[in-house]
Amino acid sequence: MDGRCIIVGAGDFYGFHSMPAPGDYLIAADAGYRWCTQQQVIPDLVVGDFDSLKNAPDHPNIIRLPVEKDDTDTLAAIRLGLEKGYRQFELYGVTGGRPDHTIANLQCLLFLHRHGARGTMYGNGIVYRGICCETVSFPASARGGFSLFCLDGTARGVTIRGMKYETTDAVITSDYPVGCSNSFRGIPSSVTVEDGSLIAIYSEQVECDHADL
């Protein structure tokens, strides 16, 4: 499926990195609907238990979820996007607010990878991007800090090129934050992980390209 599945949650919202375009599918998760209306965009679907929004909005496409459930509203929205065939996901309004939901949303990046998709979270000028069994490249124009954490268990074959701290064929585990506080240095750079899942954190102003292994 071409286009992006864009999900707006009830957390802190700082605007879209790029506005929804034709071919994209916009889902408001619970009080994410309020952020959509403030941006003057109409979601294609509204989903949630509406404990945050308090009441279901007047919208033609609503899926009401029970309050007591296993999936968060955001994960339920992700499942719906996957069912529609989308493989590129952007998540907004999924940081700040409740820290338990921020952690849950970071785990959703791994969920997306394991279902054949890619996900990116945006929050307060920061990108949270899953890097899973692939190479991600950054241009020489990239600036600012860069941190890399293992998202699940052990990541093997981790190679970092063109940054302040480089490594080749390293092993990074989820119980040791060795990848914290790296930085771009004005030359093309890249991160490769051959086996495992990483979470990269960097400025929203930085663009990147994926290249599957």
Side-chain angles (χ1 to χ4, degrees):
M1 174 75 71
D2 293 332
R4 303 166 293 167
C5 180
I6 302 172
I7 297 171
V8 182
D12 294 343
F13 182 79
Y14 301 93
F16 291 107
H17 178 68
S18 60
M19 293 295 291
D24 294 337
Y25 191 75
L26 178 60
I27 304 176
D30 204 310
Y33 179 80
R34 185 180 298 120
W35 298 128
C36 289
T37 57
Q38 288 184 8
Q39 293 290 308
Q40 298 182 333
V41 295
I42 300 174
D44 297 288
L45 176 68
V46 183
V47 60
D49 55 26
F50 302 112
D51 59 344
S52 299
L53 198 57
K54 304 307 180 186
N55 294 294
D58 182 15
H59 189 279
N61 296 314
I62 288 180
I63 296 179
R64 185 186 292 271
L65 303 173
V67 174
E68 297 182 355
K69 59 187 183 301
D70 291 334
D71 289 357
T72 63
D73 290 345
T74 300
L75 181 54
I78 286 172
R79 289 187 189 274
L80 291 165
L82 289 169
E83 289 175 5
K84 289 185 173 295
Y86 287 92
R87 291 298 176 264
Q88 299 289 340
F89 286 74
E90 293 185 1
L91 311 181
Y92 298 88
V94 291
T95 62
R98 289 176 51 178
D100 54 343
H101 277 279
T102 299
I103 294 172
N105 294 327
L106 288 169
Q107 289 187 322
C108 284
L109 297 180
L110 179 59
F111 178 89
L112 282 166
H113 165 64
R114 291 185 172 172
H115 286 78
R118 287 194 177 108
T120 304
M121 290 169 45
Y122 292 93
N124 196 19
I126 301 297
V127 171
Y128 305 80
R129 187 184 301 274
I131 303 177
C132 307
C133 301
E134 61 185 328
T135 295
V136 175
S137 300
F138 302 91
S141 59
R143 295 290 187 274
F146 181 92
S147 291
L148 193 68
F149 302 99
C150 182
L151 192 58
D152 176 47
T154 300
R156 295 178 172 85
V158 178
T159 297
I160 301 173
R161 289 282 179 265
M163 296 191 189
K164 181 178 180 180
Y165 303 110
E166 297 184 318
T167 190
T168 300
D169 199 26
V171 174
I172 298 180
T173 61
S174 55
D175 61 356
Y176 181 44
V178 67
C180 189
S181 298
N182 206 336
S183 61
F184 298 105
R185 57 189 182 96
I187 63 174
S189 56
S190 65
V191 175
T192 295
V193 57
E194 295 182 358
D195 179 26
S197 304
L198 304 173
I199 186 79
I201 303 175
Y202 53 92
S203 169
E204 187 178 342
Q205 303 304 315
V206 174
E207 300 296 336
C208 76
D209 293 317
H210 288 274
D212 293 336
L213 294 174

